[in-house]
Amino acid sequence: MERLDKVISSQTKYSRKEIKELIRKKRVLVNGKNVLKSDLKVNSDNDLITIDGEEIKIKKNIYLMLNKPKGYISATEDKNEKTVLDLVPEEYSHRNLFPAGRLDKDTTGLMIITDDGNFAHNILSPQKHVRKTYHVIIDIPVTAEMVEGFKAGVMLNDGECKTSSLEITGKYTAIVVLTEGRYHQIKRMFGCFGAKVIELQRIGMGDFKLPNNLKLGECREFTEEELKEVQE
Ligand code: URA
């Protein structure tokens, strides 16, 4: 059981003071009944809470997918740069959201934004082997040597990368799958073969694929099914 005002403030943009006022004005109902005190104990799994007749749908955590455009950094705030949080709709501003993992400023594609630290840890930890799939365009032809090298594990200046896969999809294009996420990893891996990454887009995590209808800069919640696919 939790305090009513605490439950409402975790799920809406109302401040504690505003919630007190809403209750005083009898705009809040619990299971259809007026409440008088903000510290009323409620069970957020079973009790129906409404404000002005509208149900408050209790969500423990939020999981958003963003199709990240270029020009945004993977941080929650920054003095000089635009961050991926700037692309999250205002309705989520009361949540402590953060990007689960990083994409470079000039990388586009699938980014998960959540307030669930455990979930973020699970999908990012190299031990969990969640696959991150990228579409890559480089400045020189992709070679069989690169394919072999990625499979064997490329040595970077901060140690050897875990094996990854590189599939050639065109003269200059490839699909790369990683299960870890080091700083500028794909760019540095191609750098070992004298290649420069021109375009980098994350197109999937686990079994989940960036939906075609999610436009650049757009953000929406995962369905439960989709979320399971990420963790596969
Ligand atoms: N590897 C990179 O070099 N950059 C990214 O943004 C992601 C993977």
Side-chain angles (χ1 to χ4, degrees), residues 3 6 11 47 52 71 121 123 142 152 157 164 204:
R3 284 174 59 124
K6 202 167 158 232
Q11 304 293 321
D47 289 329
D52 296 333
H121 173 76
I123 60 165
V142 191
N157 56 11
S164 49

Side-chain angles (χ1 to χ4, degrees), residues 68 74 102-108 132 134 178 180-189 197 200-202:
K68 179 191 170 300
S74 303
R102 281 160 195 267
L103 290 178
D104 296 337
K105 187 175 168 185
D106 59 355
T107 299
T108 60
K132 284 87 184 174
Y134 296 84
L178 302 180
E180 55 178 353
R182 298 200 212 173
Y183 179 70
H184 289 343
Q185 184 166 342
I186 293 180
K187 291 173 185 164
R188 291 192 295 146
M189 287 171 85
V197 171
L200 186 57
Q201 180 197 24
R202 182 152 68 197

